[in-house]
Amino acid sequence: MIINTGGRTDSVQYYTKWLLRRFEEGYVLTRNPLFPNKVNRYELTPDSVDCVVFCSKNYKPILNDITRITDKFNTYFHYTITAYGKDIEPGVPDINESIETLIKLSRIIGRERVSWRYDPVLLTEKYTIDIHKRTFEYMAGRLAPYIDRCIFSFVEMYKKLQSNMPEIIPFGIEDMNTIAEFLGNISEKNGIYIQTCGTNGDFSKYGIHKSGCTTLDILGKSNGIEFKTLKHKGMRQGCGCIESRDIGAYDTCMNGCKYCYANKNPQKAFENYKFHNSASPLLLGELTEIDIVVPGVQKSFLKAGKL
């Protein structure tokens, strides 16, 4: 089984003590988003988890303690660093600070377990194609020695985003190809393997590989282990990832990114944070009398069985 710590919230940045404690105590409880009184229990032990996947925009809070997890588990780290400022990502450190943190993380755990996510790519009057080109080129030059690959996606224009970010300029096919071409060229120049995430378009002519940012192939090679050959169902259309179990919760990330799909609105996350207790097995609140705790399904994907 693959554990995902950052699909619903930035647990690394805002819930560091809780995250570390869950791995120390060896289990976590997670509410079902559709049926809140149904609670899944997942064992967080090396013999029950094949790999732990992290996704964050700021690993600084956990740097000094990350080996408490990496020394025991197979791991892989997605680090999102984009071209945007506080106007779009209020709670995210600036580009240079983020780059320095990624470099430190890579030196601790090894570049083969770190991917740089440049996503989502979106356009506004401020964040133009030229801005993306110059920013990506600068980042690629600095990050190339410290990453396994670069992953990007074009922003999805879902309904909530249209109201949260009316300033977005919709992509045309020509814009996508222009961006994909320079991303591919810059990556090739810097020796970076680049691929898409959840994007249906074929940009292979620009040296860009297909989607699937959390595959058994990636996780296996980065950790020196071998997985079974299994179909990757993905999380949504265009996704080629292996299934995983997310231990976070929606409406809890305080980064406040305007393009975020995991929060109904930024204020809701701050309100929910009041219910966080780092000693609780749940990210928010405590178990109640009407909660039903059930063991989560934890099947190993390893070729030779469990770790």
Side-chain angles (χ1 to χ4, degrees):
M1 183 195 70
I2 311 301
I3 284 289
N4 188 336
T5 70
R8 297 173 181 170
T9 191
D10 198 331
S11 60
V12 167
Q13 180 170 3
Y14 295 108
Y15 303 96
T16 314
K17 290 182 180 180
W18 175 83
L19 190 62
L20 291 167
R21 184 160 183 165
R22 294 323 329 131
F23 281 96
E24 284 187 359
E25 295 189 0
Y27 78 101
V28 65
L29 300 181
T30 306
R31 292 191 182 278
N32 185 310
L34 298 179
F35 307 98
N37 293 120
K38 181 181 178 182
V39 179
N40 287 312
R41 174 178 169 130
Y42 295 110
E43 306 304 318
L44 299 182
T45 58
D47 64 341
S48 58
V49 175
D50 297 333
C51 188
V52 182
V53 177
F54 298 85
C55 189
S56 176
K57 294 178 179 176
N58 183 10
Y59 281 89
K60 192 173 183 178
I62 206 171
L63 279 183
N64 292 335
D65 297 295
I66 195 62
T67 54
R68 289 160 57 181
I69 299 176
T70 59
D71 284 350
K72 298 177 182 178
F73 294 85
N74 296 313
T75 53
Y76 195 79
F77 297 78
H78 295 283
Y79 203 137
T80 301
I81 311 178
T82 68
Y84 316 121
K86 298 290 186 181
D87 54 328
I88 292 183
E89 299 175 338
V92 180
D94 66 37
I95 290 172
N96 286 310
E97 183 179 349
S98 295
I99 288 174
E100 290 300 324
T101 302
L102 184 149
I103 292 171
K104 291 176 182 177
L105 175 68
S106 179
R107 285 172 173 164
I108 293 170
I109 64 171
R111 63 172 294 184
E112 69 279 359
R113 286 193 277 177
V114 183
S115 73
W116 163 37
R117 301 188 69 97
Y118 188 81
D119 70 321
V121 178
L122 57 84
L123 297 177
T124 68
E125 289 187 4
K126 178 178 179 179
Y127 297 102
T128 62
I129 288 178
D130 186 58
I131 288 294
H132 278 292
K133 182 176 182 179
R134 288 191 280 117
T135 307
F136 185 83
E137 188 165 24
Y138 169 71
M139 291 184 185
R142 293 197 59 189
L143 293 175
Y146 304 101
I147 58 173
D148 171 53
R149 66 191 61 220
C150 175
I151 300 165
F152 81 96
S153 67
F154 293 109
V155 70
E156 294 184 34
M157 293 300 295
Y158 48 87
K159 187 175 181 180
K160 183 170 63 175
L161 183 62
Q162 294 175 6
S163 58
N164 289 349
M165 284 197 73
E167 68 268 32
I168 281 187
I169 300 172
F171 278 112
I173 298 299
E174 185 177 344
D175 290 334
M176 286 187 176
N177 277 285
T178 298
I179 292 171
E181 183 175 12
F182 73 68
L183 292 180
N185 289 339
I186 293 170
S187 295
E188 182 181 17
K189 176 183 174 182
N190 287 277
I192 296 174
Y193 181 101
I194 186 169
Q195 65 176 88
T196 55
C197 172
T199 296
N200 289 318
D202 181 3
F203 303 105
S204 57
K205 62 182 176 181
Y206 305 123
I208 295 171
H209 301 268
K210 65 180 181 179
S211 293
C213 59
T214 307
T215 66
L216 294 181
D217 182 62
I218 292 173
L219 301 182
K221 289 180 179 177
S222 63
N223 287 281
I225 55 177
E226 191 173 359
F227 287 101
K228 301 171 185 176
T229 302
L230 298 171
K231 184 178 180 180
H232 290 47
K233 300 177 181 179
M235 304 298 289
R236 62 188 186 281
Q237 185 178 9
C239 177
C241 296
I242 191 65
E243 64 179 273
S244 62
R245 297 291 180 264
D246 199 305
I247 62 174
Y250 292 114
D251 293 314
T252 59
C253 182
M254 293 178 287
N255 279 329
C257 301
K258 293 178 73 173
Y259 52 76
C260 180
Y261 66 88
N263 285 349
K264 293 177 181 177
N265 62 71
Q267 187 57 38
K268 185 70 173 176
F270 287 92
E271 294 172 0
N272 282 337
Y273 188 75
K274 300 173 185 177
F275 301 102
H276 173 64
N277 174 6
S278 62
S280 172
L282 289 160
L283 185 67
L284 294 182
E286 311 287 344
L287 284 175
T288 69
E289 293 181 356
I290 61 173
D291 288 331
I292 301 173
V293 180
V294 297
V297 178
Q298 297 189 243
K299 295 187 299 181
S300 177
F301 298 148
L302 289 170
K303 194 168 186 177
K306 294 183 179 181
L307 290 169

